[in-house]
mmCIF file of all heavy atoms in Angstrom:
data_model
loop_
_atom_site.group_PDB
_atom_site.id
_atom_site.type_symbol
_atom_site.label_atom_id
_atom_site.label_comp_id
_atom_site.label_asym_id
_atom_site.label_seq_id
_atom_site.Cartn_x
_atom_site.Cartn_y
_atom_site.Cartn_z
ATOM 1 N N PRO A 125 21.690 -123.804 -80.370
ATOM 2 C CA PRO A 125 22.441 -123.796 -79.098
ATOM 3 C C PRO A 125 23.833 -124.236 -79.176
ATOM 4 O O PRO A 125 24.729 -123.922 -78.338
ATOM 5 C CB PRO A 125 21.645 -124.613 -78.157
ATOM 6 C CG PRO A 125 20.874 -125.553 -79.118
ATOM 7 C CD PRO A 125 20.626 -124.686 -80.322
ATOM 8 N N ILE A 126 24.175 -125.025 -80.193
ATOM 9 C CA ILE A 126 25.559 -125.503 -80.415
ATOM 10 C C ILE A 126 26.536 -124.508 -80.887
ATOM 11 O O ILE A 126 27.525 -124.192 -80.280
ATOM 12 C CB ILE A 126 25.572 -126.736 -81.357
ATOM 13 C CG1 ILE A 126 24.716 -127.926 -80.797
ATOM 14 C CG2 ILE A 126 26.965 -127.149 -81.634
ATOM 15 C CD1 ILE A 126 24.374 -128.849 -81.856
ATOM 16 N N GLN A 127 25.977 -123.676 -81.786
ATOM 17 C CA GLN A 127 26.751 -122.459 -82.360
ATOM 18 C C GLN A 127 26.556 -121.228 -81.530
ATOM 19 O O GLN A 127 27.232 -120.295 -81.716
ATOM 20 C CB GLN A 127 26.474 -122.319 -83.805
ATOM 21 C CG GLN A 127 26.579 -123.517 -84.597
ATOM 22 C CD GLN A 127 28.026 -124.121 -84.665
ATOM 23 O OE1 GLN A 127 28.968 -123.370 -84.703
ATOM 24 N NE2 GLN A 127 28.044 -125.463 -84.622
ATOM 25 N N GLN A 128 25.526 -121.209 -80.720
ATOM 26 C CA GLN A 128 25.253 -120.037 -79.789
ATOM 27 C C GLN A 128 24.891 -118.926 -80.635
ATOM 28 O O GLN A 128 25.317 -117.841 -80.329
ATOM 29 C CB GLN A 128 26.402 -119.778 -78.773
ATOM 30 C CG GLN A 128 26.733 -120.940 -77.939
ATOM 31 C CD GLN A 128 27.957 -120.669 -77.043
ATOM 32 O OE1 GLN A 128 27.991 -119.630 -76.463
ATOM 33 N NE2 GLN A 128 28.921 -121.566 -77.150
ATOM 34 N N VAL A 129 24.054 -119.047 -81.606
ATOM 35 C CA VAL A 129 23.516 -117.987 -82.487
ATOM 36 C C VAL A 129 22.064 -118.178 -82.679
ATOM 37 O O VAL A 129 21.516 -119.249 -82.651
ATOM 38 C CB VAL A 129 24.345 -117.885 -83.796
ATOM 39 C CG1 VAL A 129 25.771 -117.514 -83.594
ATOM 40 C CG2 VAL A 129 24.147 -119.219 -84.557
ATOM 41 N N ARG A 130 21.466 -117.104 -83.044
ATOM 42 C CA ARG A 130 20.087 -117.047 -83.765
ATOM 43 C C ARG A 130 20.160 -116.741 -85.189
ATOM 44 O O ARG A 130 21.101 -115.944 -85.597
ATOM 45 C CB ARG A 130 19.287 -115.929 -83.038
ATOM 46 C CG ARG A 130 18.644 -116.397 -81.710
ATOM 47 C CD ARG A 130 17.720 -115.379 -81.064
ATOM 48 N NE ARG A 130 18.410 -114.082 -80.641
ATOM 49 C CZ ARG A 130 19.052 -114.048 -79.532
ATOM 50 N NH1 ARG A 130 19.108 -115.009 -78.598
ATOM 51 N NH2 ARG A 130 19.625 -112.881 -79.137
ATOM 52 N N ILE A 131 19.509 -117.423 -85.962
ATOM 53 C CA ILE A 131 19.603 -117.529 -87.397
ATOM 54 C C ILE A 131 18.345 -117.097 -88.202
ATOM 55 O O ILE A 131 17.273 -117.587 -87.788
ATOM 56 C CB ILE A 131 20.235 -118.836 -87.919
ATOM 57 C CG1 ILE A 131 21.455 -119.221 -87.212
ATOM 58 C CG2 ILE A 131 20.232 -118.856 -89.429
ATOM 59 C CD1 ILE A 131 21.905 -120.690 -87.334
ATOM 60 N N GLN A 132 18.511 -116.391 -89.279
ATOM 61 C CA GLN A 132 17.332 -116.145 -90.218
ATOM 62 C C GLN A 132 17.979 -116.203 -91.599
ATOM 63 O O GLN A 132 18.909 -115.487 -91.967
ATOM 64 C CB GLN A 132 16.797 -114.646 -90.000
ATOM 65 C CG GLN A 132 15.853 -114.327 -90.943
ATOM 66 C CD GLN A 132 14.552 -115.053 -90.856
ATOM 67 O OE1 GLN A 132 13.874 -114.780 -89.922
ATOM 68 N NE2 GLN A 132 14.150 -115.808 -91.802
ATOM 69 N N PHE A 133 17.535 -117.181 -92.369
ATOM 70 C CA PHE A 133 17.809 -117.272 -93.729
ATOM 71 C C PHE A 133 16.865 -116.341 -94.589
ATOM 72 O O PHE A 133 15.670 -116.244 -94.252
ATOM 73 C CB PHE A 133 17.707 -118.679 -94.323
ATOM 74 C CG PHE A 133 18.834 -119.599 -93.842
ATOM 75 C CD1 PHE A 133 18.607 -120.498 -92.742
ATOM 76 C CD2 PHE A 133 20.108 -119.569 -94.486
ATOM 77 C CE1 PHE A 133 19.595 -121.370 -92.387
ATOM 78 C CE2 PHE A 133 21.095 -120.279 -94.000
ATOM 79 C CZ PHE A 133 20.848 -121.270 -92.963
ATOM 80 N N VAL A 134 17.442 -115.662 -95.567
ATOM 81 C CA VAL A 134 16.609 -114.845 -96.558
ATOM 82 C C VAL A 134 17.107 -115.201 -97.884
ATOM 83 O O VAL A 134 18.246 -115.558 -98.162
ATOM 84 C CB VAL A 134 16.724 -113.322 -96.193
ATOM 85 C CG1 VAL A 134 16.158 -113.004 -94.826
ATOM 86 C CG2 VAL A 134 18.218 -112.823 -96.288
ATOM 87 N N SER A 135 16.164 -114.988 -98.865
ATOM 88 C CA SER A 135 16.486 -115.288 -100.295
ATOM 89 C C SER A 135 15.722 -114.335 -101.099
ATOM 90 O O SER A 135 14.757 -113.763 -100.718
ATOM 91 C CB SER A 135 16.237 -116.801 -100.597
ATOM 92 O OG SER A 135 14.835 -117.094 -100.310
ATOM 93 N N GLY A 136 16.150 -114.256 -102.321
ATOM 94 C CA GLY A 136 15.456 -113.485 -103.357
ATOM 95 C C GLY A 136 16.286 -112.651 -104.248
ATOM 96 O O GLY A 136 16.246 -112.888 -105.463
ATOM 97 N N GLY A 137 16.922 -111.649 -103.778
ATOM 98 C CA GLY A 137 17.560 -110.649 -104.666
ATOM 99 C C GLY A 137 18.891 -111.017 -105.117
ATOM 100 O O GLY A 137 19.541 -110.352 -105.861
ATOM 101 N N GLY A 138 19.476 -112.034 -104.679
ATOM 102 C CA GLY A 138 20.820 -112.504 -105.011
ATOM 103 C C GLY A 138 21.172 -113.767 -104.274
ATOM 104 O O GLY A 138 20.232 -114.567 -104.176
ATOM 105 N N PRO A 139 22.366 -113.994 -103.873
ATOM 106 C CA PRO A 139 22.689 -115.231 -103.215
ATOM 107 C C PRO A 139 21.819 -115.331 -101.894
ATOM 108 O O PRO A 139 21.400 -114.364 -101.278
ATOM 109 C CB PRO A 139 24.107 -115.137 -102.889
ATOM 110 C CG PRO A 139 24.537 -113.726 -103.152
ATOM 111 C CD PRO A 139 23.517 -113.088 -103.994
ATOM 112 N N ARG A 140 21.542 -116.585 -101.474
ATOM 113 C CA ARG A 140 20.914 -116.864 -100.186
ATOM 114 C C ARG A 140 21.810 -116.294 -99.028
ATOM 115 O O ARG A 140 23.020 -116.485 -99.064
ATOM 116 C CB ARG A 140 20.669 -118.341 -100.048
ATOM 117 C CG ARG A 140 19.971 -118.722 -98.825
ATOM 118 C CD ARG A 140 19.895 -120.212 -98.701
ATOM 119 N NE ARG A 140 18.871 -120.654 -97.824
ATOM 120 C CZ ARG A 140 18.956 -121.708 -97.060
ATOM 121 N NH1 ARG A 140 20.007 -122.484 -97.214
ATOM 122 N NH2 ARG A 140 18.063 -122.046 -96.210
ATOM 123 N N LEU A 141 21.138 -115.563 -98.087
ATOM 124 C CA LEU A 141 21.988 -115.024 -96.983
ATOM 125 C C LEU A 141 21.499 -115.731 -95.599
ATOM 126 O O LEU A 141 20.367 -116.060 -95.516
ATOM 127 C CB LEU A 141 21.539 -113.584 -96.883
ATOM 128 C CG LEU A 141 21.966 -112.636 -98.134
ATOM 129 C CD1 LEU A 141 21.552 -111.202 -97.853
ATOM 130 C CD2 LEU A 141 23.421 -112.788 -98.470
ATOM 131 N N GLU A 142 22.512 -115.786 -94.800
ATOM 132 C CA GLU A 142 22.226 -116.258 -93.473
ATOM 133 C C GLU A 142 22.679 -115.144 -92.492
ATOM 134 O O GLU A 142 23.770 -114.696 -92.420
ATOM 135 C CB GLU A 142 23.182 -117.496 -93.219
ATOM 136 C CG GLU A 142 22.979 -118.095 -91.753
ATOM 137 C CD GLU A 142 24.020 -119.183 -91.483
ATOM 138 O OE1 GLU A 142 25.040 -119.256 -92.233
ATOM 139 O OE2 GLU A 142 23.757 -119.908 -90.509
ATOM 140 N N LEU A 143 21.518 -114.570 -91.894
ATOM 141 C CA LEU A 143 21.681 -113.520 -90.961
ATOM 142 C C LEU A 143 21.880 -114.090 -89.567
ATOM 143 O O LEU A 143 21.016 -114.980 -89.202
ATOM 144 C CB LEU A 143 20.573 -112.512 -90.977
ATOM 145 C CG LEU A 143 20.210 -111.974 -92.398
ATOM 146 C CD1 LEU A 143 18.936 -111.103 -92.297
ATOM 147 C CD2 LEU A 143 21.393 -111.275 -93.005
ATOM 148 N N ILE A 144 22.957 -113.772 -88.830
ATOM 149 C CA ILE A 144 23.112 -114.418 -87.472
ATOM 150 C C ILE A 144 23.276 -113.224 -86.459
ATOM 151 O O ILE A 144 23.803 -112.193 -86.838
ATOM 152 C CB ILE A 144 24.371 -115.325 -87.561
ATOM 153 C CG1 ILE A 144 25.634 -114.652 -87.846
ATOM 154 C CG2 ILE A 144 24.128 -116.487 -88.441
ATOM 155 C CD1 ILE A 144 26.788 -115.459 -87.743
ATOM 156 N N GLU A 145 22.874 -113.628 -85.304
ATOM 157 C CA GLU A 145 23.142 -112.817 -84.116
ATOM 158 C C GLU A 145 23.535 -113.623 -83.015
ATOM 159 O O GLU A 145 23.131 -114.743 -82.893
ATOM 160 C CB GLU A 145 22.037 -111.846 -83.838
ATOM 161 C CG GLU A 145 20.773 -112.582 -83.353
ATOM 162 C CD GLU A 145 19.637 -111.684 -82.953
ATOM 163 O OE1 GLU A 145 19.794 -110.467 -83.047
ATOM 164 O OE2 GLU A 145 18.513 -112.142 -82.714
ATOM 165 N N PRO A 146 24.331 -113.121 -81.978
ATOM 166 C CA PRO A 146 24.672 -113.921 -80.862
ATOM 167 C C PRO A 146 23.408 -114.212 -80.057
ATOM 168 O O PRO A 146 22.545 -113.487 -79.856
ATOM 169 C CB PRO A 146 25.564 -113.014 -79.978
ATOM 170 C CG PRO A 146 25.614 -111.716 -80.647
ATOM 171 C CD PRO A 146 24.884 -111.725 -81.882
ATOM 172 N N ALA A 147 23.489 -115.472 -79.454
ATOM 173 C CA ALA A 147 22.350 -115.965 -78.614
ATOM 174 C C ALA A 147 22.834 -115.849 -77.089
ATOM 175 O O ALA A 147 22.027 -116.270 -76.310
ATOM 176 C CB ALA A 147 21.985 -117.392 -78.947
ATOM 177 N N GLY A 148 23.930 -115.328 -76.871
ATOM 178 C CA GLY A 148 24.424 -115.179 -75.567
ATOM 179 C C GLY A 148 25.833 -114.517 -75.490
ATOM 180 O O GLY A 148 26.406 -114.399 -76.477
ATOM 181 N N ALA A 149 26.290 -114.188 -74.319
ATOM 182 C CA ALA A 149 27.574 -113.628 -74.084
ATOM 183 C C ALA A 149 28.713 -114.474 -74.594
ATOM 184 O O ALA A 149 29.876 -114.037 -74.860
ATOM 185 C CB ALA A 149 27.749 -113.142 -72.715
ATOM 186 N N GLN A 150 28.527 -115.798 -74.606
ATOM 187 C CA GLN A 150 29.609 -116.758 -74.946
ATOM 188 C C GLN A 150 29.612 -117.084 -76.445
ATOM 189 O O GLN A 150 30.427 -117.892 -76.863
ATOM 190 C CB GLN A 150 29.471 -118.052 -74.069
ATOM 191 C CG GLN A 150 29.541 -117.789 -72.631
ATOM 192 C CD GLN A 150 30.836 -117.155 -72.184
ATOM 193 O OE1 GLN A 150 31.868 -117.648 -72.585
ATOM 194 N NE2 GLN A 150 30.774 -116.163 -71.404
ATOM 195 N N SER A 151 28.751 -116.496 -77.159
ATOM 196 C CA SER A 151 28.600 -116.810 -78.614
ATOM 197 C C SER A 151 30.028 -116.247 -79.265
ATOM 198 O O SER A 151 30.442 -115.242 -79.013
ATOM 199 C CB SER A 151 27.525 -115.956 -79.245
ATOM 200 O OG SER A 151 27.553 -116.219 -80.623
ATOM 201 N N PRO A 152 30.497 -117.048 -80.215
ATOM 202 C CA PRO A 152 31.667 -116.539 -80.931
ATOM 203 C C PRO A 152 31.480 -115.314 -81.712
ATOM 204 O O PRO A 152 32.357 -114.476 -81.983
ATOM 205 C CB PRO A 152 32.037 -117.694 -81.906
ATOM 206 C CG PRO A 152 31.211 -118.958 -81.505
ATOM 207 C CD PRO A 152 30.090 -118.411 -80.619
#
């Protein structure tokens, strides 16, 4: 809620990835 995003970390095929999506209209 501080960054206003939803996050999913994934790993395996290369570098660790952080997938993000907005959690609301005010998300950066």
Side-chain angles (χ1 to χ4, degrees):
I126 298 166
Q127 305 301 321
Q128 301 176 51
V129 293
R130 282 185 288 280
I131 301 168
Q132 171 72 68
F133 284 104
V134 297
S135 60
R140 183 181 194 213
L141 302 177
E142 178 185 18
L143 306 176
I144 62 172
E145 67 180 353
Q150 299 303 312
S151 173

